[in-house]
Amino acid sequence: MATRNNTLKLKFDTARNYAPAPESKSSAIIAERYELFIDGKFVKPESKKYFDTINPATEGKLSEIAEANAADVDKAVKAARSAYDTTWKKMPAKERGKYIYRIARMIQERARELAVIETLDGGKPIRESRDFDIPIVANHFFYYAGWADKLEYAFPNRNAQPLGVAGQIIPWNFPLMMAAWKIAPAIATGNTVVLKPAETTSLTALKLAEIIQEADLPPGVVNIITGAGDTGAALVNHPGINKIAFTGSTEVGKKIQHAISGTGKKATLELGGKAANIIFDDAPIDQAVEGIINGIFFNQGHVCCAGSRLYVQESVFNEVVRKLKDRLETLIVGDPMDKNTDIGAINSKQQLDQVNKYIKIGQKEGGEMFQTSCSIPSTGFFCRPTIFTNVAQSSRISQEEIFGPVLAIQSFRTDEEVIEKANNTPYGLSAGVWTDKGSKIFNMTQQLRAGVVWANTFNQFDPTSPFGGYKESGYGREGGLHGLMSYVKFANA
Ligand code: NAI
Ligand code: MG
């Protein structure tokens, strides 16, 4: 093997200044106030309460969102039950599929508007909401629309039947994408749903409610109610739901598991992660550096499957870290609406405090910190890309989910050592392996205890591919044929 030139720097044109290229806001129509979407209509909350949603990049108010209380949750669940009994479960599957195709096409038609609102409300770069989130949302609806009348092929001779009413609770990191992952497979299999978006990012789910209304989906098949943790808890505890689907923190996942035990309610829980991204010395190093960047800085690191623990083989450690620092310096942090921006705003003040808390912990624990020298806006919630070397396996920044642009880096010598280190975590959602050797990839994927293992890439998603975790990362799978399984029971079983 040729020896590497360790002094070779990656060449990035860091001196270049980009003129601002802001996306227009004109496509985004945001009302002053949003009501609850129940039984096909927008209705005022019984609680009579509203809360503000802000743009985390400016801290300016965007709109007011209705807060659903237990009475509102009850209304929504009853609407879902009635739609299930009278309409949706009786409808020929082919007809159900047509509605879902219609929703998918309307999402495509309104893609720009949805991308802009996703970015304004949540802080992610417009490039990501435009090129990643919204296309995946449409694809997910298209994919599951296709399954609606083919369940007999998915589960031959098993007479798959819907569960009934699903309560669905989603987080703020991929707001519309999470709504699609929840709603599409549920309604394709004949269930009806009550979905609650996260309190900082309700707007695109409410835009989806408008689309669903316009698509003439029978009233009550999809209900969207807004509010924070109490609203979520009221949904979980409602006796009228048959299943709960949750994506969010492990802490809340545990509460939900506890609340439903003994009730007969089914659940899928997609929780936190602390993925190992493993770079072997025979890996294509420059591509691996890109993969590391994508793994931890995509969506500000607000990614449950983020590659937040980096393991680099000792012989290439210095090279990788140096190239990584060079590449970090090129990242543009700032206005999420600017098409040049790589790293947008942290989703909320609360989350920024959490990230900063861990940065302090990392320093206190003796980690060597490197942050890029870029300027960050003085208003809004921003954080510089941050990496730590000299990190111990036991340190909190390599054990706990930070959910921000902070990477903990360690070295390793042998395959056995890195497998042990990678698996030494309460989580098991994802992992990445970078190597030139196919045999090494197969060995690693067999031994890494993670739901998804990417080889020579990271953060790839496709509606046909299942996603979900081991251990404290939760259970159940979303996406692909496996994703259907979470929403059916087998009458012939
Ligand atoms: P969270 O788990 O509290 O919020 C997720 C969703 O659950 C939201 O819709 C929220 O309103 C709802 N919720 C909160 N309490 C509930 C309860 N008792 N019953 C039912 N629903 C409830 O997450 P949070 O507080 O926004 O973030 C805290 C940390 O959680 C983050 O720093 C991150 O580490 C982790 N997180 C992980 C996510 C993932 O996809 N793995 C997503 C969001 C957060
Ligand atoms: Mg917001």
Side-chain angles (χ1 to χ4, degrees):
M1 197 175 73
T3 46
R4 283 175 199 284
N5 179 352
N6 264 345
T7 56
L8 205 67
K9 285 194 108 183
L10 282 187
K11 289 204 175 60
F12 300 105
D13 195 356
T14 32
R16 183 187 299 181
N17 283 318
Y18 292 88
E23 171 69 52
S24 160
K25 291 182 190 145
S26 64
S27 64
I29 299 152
I30 299 177
E32 272 175 28
R33 181 177 261 201
Y34 283 91
E35 310 293 351
L36 307 171
F37 184 64
I38 297 176
D39 208 17
K41 294 180 288 287
F42 286 92
V43 296
K44 291 195 184 309
E46 299 285 336
S47 73
K48 301 191 166 57
K49 286 190 193 154
Y50 294 83
F51 60 95
D52 290 350
T53 194
I54 64 160
N55 177 346
T58 63
E59 301 175 50
K61 175 175 166 179
L62 291 168
S63 184
E64 280 175 15
I65 312 285
E67 182 185 317
N69 64 13
D72 295 303
V73 170
D74 186 54
K75 259 204 274 207
V77 173
K78 285 190 172 133
R81 175 63 56 191
S82 152
Y84 178 72
D85 287 336
T86 62
T87 317
W88 201 240
K89 77 169 176 196
K90 293 184 184 160
M91 187 181 284
K94 200 168 79 184
E95 297 305 312
R96 287 202 301 254
K98 282 185 195 167
Y99 283 107
I100 305 169
Y101 277 122
R102 194 183 296 165
I103 293 168
R105 285 195 301 271
M106 290 170 73
I107 289 166
Q108 283 187 318
E109 278 164 21
R110 289 171 69 169
R112 180 175 295 258
E113 175 192 3
L114 294 169
V116 168
I117 295 176
E118 199 73 308
T119 285
L120 290 173
D121 201 17
K124 65 173 69 203
I126 186 68
R127 234 174 41 214
E128 289 181 11
S129 42
R130 182 194 64 193
D131 299 344
F132 180 84
D133 293 65
I134 307 305
I136 287 193
V137 170
N139 280 349
H140 228 78
F141 278 101
F142 277 119
Y143 175 75
Y144 280 109
W147 273 123
D149 62 348
K150 299 177 194 71
L151 292 183
E152 192 47 33
Y153 297 92
F155 310 112
N157 301 318
R158 297 184 73 189
N159 191 11
Q161 295 296 319
L163 300 172
V165 177
Q168 306 182 314
I169 299 172
I170 57 173
W172 40 262
N173 51 342
F174 295 96
L176 194 58
M177 197 174 110
M178 287 296 111
W181 282 28
K182 296 282 178 284
I183 294 172
I187 64 175
T189 44
N191 302 276
T192 58
V193 309
V194 178
L195 174 107
K196 189 198 85 65
E199 53 272 32
T200 56
T201 54
S202 308
L203 287 179
T204 45
L206 292 160
K207 283 279 153 185
L208 180 62
E210 290 175 9
I211 288 172
I212 283 168
Q213 196 179 40
E214 222 179 290
D216 260 336
L217 189 75
V221 173
V222 173
N223 305 276
I224 294 177
I225 56 167
T226 39
D230 288 346
T231 310
L235 182 57
V236 170
N237 292 323
H238 196 288
I241 61 165
N242 302 97
K243 184 219 159 84
I244 190 87
F246 173 76
T247 300
S249 63
T250 296
E251 188 193 343
V252 173
K254 285 180 178 171
K255 282 189 199 161
I256 291 175
Q257 179 68 58
H258 188 72
I260 62 170
S261 69
T263 63
K265 289 174 191 170
K266 291 204 155 67
T268 43
L269 302 176
E270 202 265 89
L271 311 175
K274 192 76 188 176
N277 200 1
I278 302 168
I279 319 292
F280 286 99
D281 59 5
D282 62 353
I285 298 293
D286 293 356
Q287 279 105 305
V289 167
E290 289 307 305
I292 297 165
I293 296 276
N294 173 25
I296 184 62
F297 300 116
F298 177 58
N299 199 30
Q300 295 73 245
H302 302 327
V303 184
C304 47
C305 51
S308 51
R309 284 184 297 150
L310 178 66
Y311 293 100
V312 185
Q313 201 153 22
E314 209 170 74
S315 51
V316 291
F317 187 85
N318 290 339
E319 180 188 359
V320 168
V321 170
R322 204 196 52 246
K323 286 185 167 177
L324 188 59
K325 287 178 181 171
D326 285 354
R327 178 66 173 89
L328 274 176
E329 282 292 355
T330 70
L331 293 174
I332 299 173
V333 184
D335 181 6
M337 286 293 280
D338 191 315
K339 292 169 210 163
N340 295 317
T341 294
D342 297 302
I343 299 184
I346 299 295
N347 183 265
S348 64
K349 169 80 169 51
Q350 185 198 336
Q351 190 60 26
L352 180 60
D353 290 345
Q354 152 110 341
V355 174
N356 285 332
K357 179 188 91 181
Y358 275 107
I359 289 176
K360 284 211 185 81
I361 290 171
Q363 290 169 292
K364 250 206 194 130
E365 284 178 328
E368 198 175 302
M369 183 176 79
F370 172 84
Q371 284 189 319
T372 62
S373 56
C374 66
S375 63
I376 56 173
S378 53
T379 49
F381 314 131
F382 291 90
C383 179
R384 286 192 180 83
T386 306
I387 63 176
F388 278 96
T389 48
N390 200 21
V391 174
Q393 181 70 16
S394 58
S395 65
R396 288 182 65 190
I397 59 164
S398 68
Q399 286 292 328
E400 297 173 21
E401 182 175 55
I402 302 174
F403 226 59
V406 182
L407 178 66
I409 311 179
Q410 295 176 64
S411 66
F412 70 94
R413 287 185 182 165
T414 65
D415 296 16
E416 292 69 34
E417 179 190 349
V418 77
I419 289 164
E420 197 182 319
K421 281 182 166 171
N423 287 337
N424 176 4
T425 164
Y427 296 110
L429 194 55
S430 64
V433 178
W434 297 79
T435 169
D436 205 24
K437 280 203 188 65
S439 58
K440 207 178 266 181
I441 291 172
F442 286 119
N443 181 34
M444 296 303 287
T445 48
Q446 298 274 315
Q447 303 204 52
L448 290 171
R449 297 255 300 142
V452 179
V453 182
W454 287 292
N456 295 325
T457 187
F458 210 93
N459 277 338
Q460 296 292 328
F461 296 91
D462 190 281
T464 65
S465 177
F467 183 84
Y470 281 79
K471 301 194 277 185
E472 292 204 3
S473 292
Y475 54 82
R477 294 293 177 263
E478 295 186 295
L481 193 115
H482 301 68
L484 294 167
M485 203 108 75
S486 311
Y487 286 98
V488 295
K489 58 184 180 226
F490 298 113
N492 290 350

